[in-house]
Amino acid sequence: MFQLLAVCPMGLESIVAKEIQELGYETQVENGRIFFEGDENAIVKCNLWLRTADRVKIVMGQFKATTFDELFEKTKALPWESIIDQQGNFPVQGRSVKSTLYSVPDCQAITKKAIVERLKHAYNEKGWLNESGAKYPVEVSILKDKVLLTIDTSGSGLNRRGYRLAQGEAPIKETLAASLIKLANWTGDTPLIDPFCGSGTIAIEACLIAQNIAPGFNRDFVSEEWNIMPPNIYDDMRDEADKHANYDREIQVYASDIDPEMVEIAKRNAEEVGLADIIQFSVKDVNTLTIDTEEPIALIGNPPYGERIGDRDEVEEMYRYIGTLMKQHDYLSTYILTSNKEYEHLVNKKATKRRKLFNGYIECTYYQYWGKKPQTKKES
């Protein structure tokens, strides 16, 4: 069993923890960190299935350190050989916040040296370690003198699903897009509209959720090359994930954008993941959007924020029109991520629920408006 760690942006901890719990593991939550225990199967399962986490890491140790000697000795005391093989390549990254050991390059060098000494002793190596084998990315993270040492099992971030061939100027990360859908509790039972689709990320992630397709199905992970992982475990679990996918489920997802070039990019990305025939793409100005159904429908979007002065009037007009749509359609639920503090004023309606999130380094609010639910026959 390993102590494992899923990392995520601030504000998404509960969503990631819920995903991990649904996979069968108990969680402990801190800011941006969800700790849990699991074996090799857990490492593979979480890398393949977590939609909202950034990475899955093995926790090697946690301790307090205020001197470089302390950092060296406590790092060296950890069982690195239980994970890193004799030819393992283990680059060390670091960060330090509000700590006595504030020099990140020095912390990285000390950590690296300590691991080298431990592995040389464990493998009875007299000279240099050649590090010609599999990669084991190590991170030393120090916060208020508390050291956290981890090995990354994912490699590139879990947002790298492998389908985004191209993107626009300010793309939303796939993990954040999936989080917006999860927070809206949308599962595919009702139609979904994204009128600001950009490169198509929200629409694509919505389809993956609705058809129960593992988000990591079409990519590789750094831990696939590790000796500690049973042979073919990733391939076997990919086959298992494929059996659980509901590729034939009929869902209604509509994605549009005012920019024809972005719509073409979104189509190509959808084709890459096999969803081009499901998502209905169109070139459309949101101010001309009409909704012709009296049934429940969801609008989930990451519109322009109007950060640039020249765009502000145009963006505010767009927000007002969303307010108009909500007044016209009682069963319309809208979920909008924006940094605009005046959003509720512009749509002339208080949100049912708000959540502070970060789109990259931009602080945003996710405004959630729940539409009416249709009455059941018994209620009628």
Side-chain angles (χ1 to χ4, degrees), residues 26-185:
E26 294 182 4
T27 59
Q28 180 184 341
V29 178
E30 295 181 5
N31 286 340
R33 296 170 173 173
I34 299 86
F35 293 92
F36 60 107
E37 287 188 353
D39 58 9
E40 293 87 352
N41 287 330
I43 292 173
V44 180
K45 196 185 295 187
C46 289
N47 274 315
L48 286 177
W49 281 103
L50 290 184
R51 301 181 189 277
T52 58
D54 285 342
R55 294 176 186 277
V56 177
K57 302 180 177 185
I58 296 174
V59 177
M60 293 302 297
Q62 297 186 72
F63 52 81
K64 186 176 181 180
T66 55
T67 68
F68 287 126
D69 283 344
E70 201 173 7
L71 175 62
F72 178 86
E73 293 299 337
K74 290 182 177 180
T75 300
K76 185 181 174 183
L78 298 172
W80 297 96
E81 69 279 4
S82 67
I83 308 293
I84 302 173
D85 64 51
Q86 192 166 358
Q87 283 75 43
N89 172 21
F90 51 101
V92 178
Q93 289 188 323
R95 53 182 174 158
S96 179
V97 179
K98 298 179 181 177
S99 298
T100 307
L101 302 179
Y102 60 84
S103 172
V104 172
D106 287 335
C107 292
Q108 291 175 196
I110 294 294
T111 301
K112 178 78 175 185
K113 184 179 178 182
I115 300 172
V116 166
E117 290 300 314
R118 173 78 187 204
L119 293 180
K120 284 173 67 176
H121 178 76
Y123 294 124
N124 197 26
E125 285 280 358
K126 304 293 185 190
W128 295 98
L129 297 173
N130 62 36
E131 296 193 48
S132 60
K135 190 175 182 180
Y136 299 81
V138 174
E139 182 181 62
V140 50
S141 176
I142 310 178
L143 175 63
K144 296 179 180 178
D145 296 331
K146 185 177 180 182
V147 178
L148 172 66
L149 289 163
T150 59
I151 301 177
D152 181 18
T153 73
S154 304
S156 58
L158 294 181
N159 65 295
R160 306 277 184 175
R161 313 283 206 227
Y163 63 73
R164 196 145 75 178
L165 302 178
Q167 59 192 35
E169 290 182 6
I172 186 173
K173 285 175 68 173
E174 295 88 334
T175 44
L176 179 56
S179 299
L180 300 185
I181 297 157
K182 288 274 190 178
L183 287 168
N185 293 316

Side-chain angles (χ1 to χ4, degrees), residues 15 77 102 118 131 163 198 242 249 259 273 281 332:
I15 301 298
Y102 60 84
R118 173 78 187 204
E131 296 193 48
Y163 63 73
D242 193 38
R249 184 185 182 189
D259 185 347
V273 75
F281 290 102
L332 172 65

Side-chain angles (χ1 to χ4, degrees), residues 291-304:
I291 298 173
D292 300 324
T293 180
E294 292 300 322
E295 298 296 319
I297 188 168
L299 187 156
I300 302 177
N302 175 45

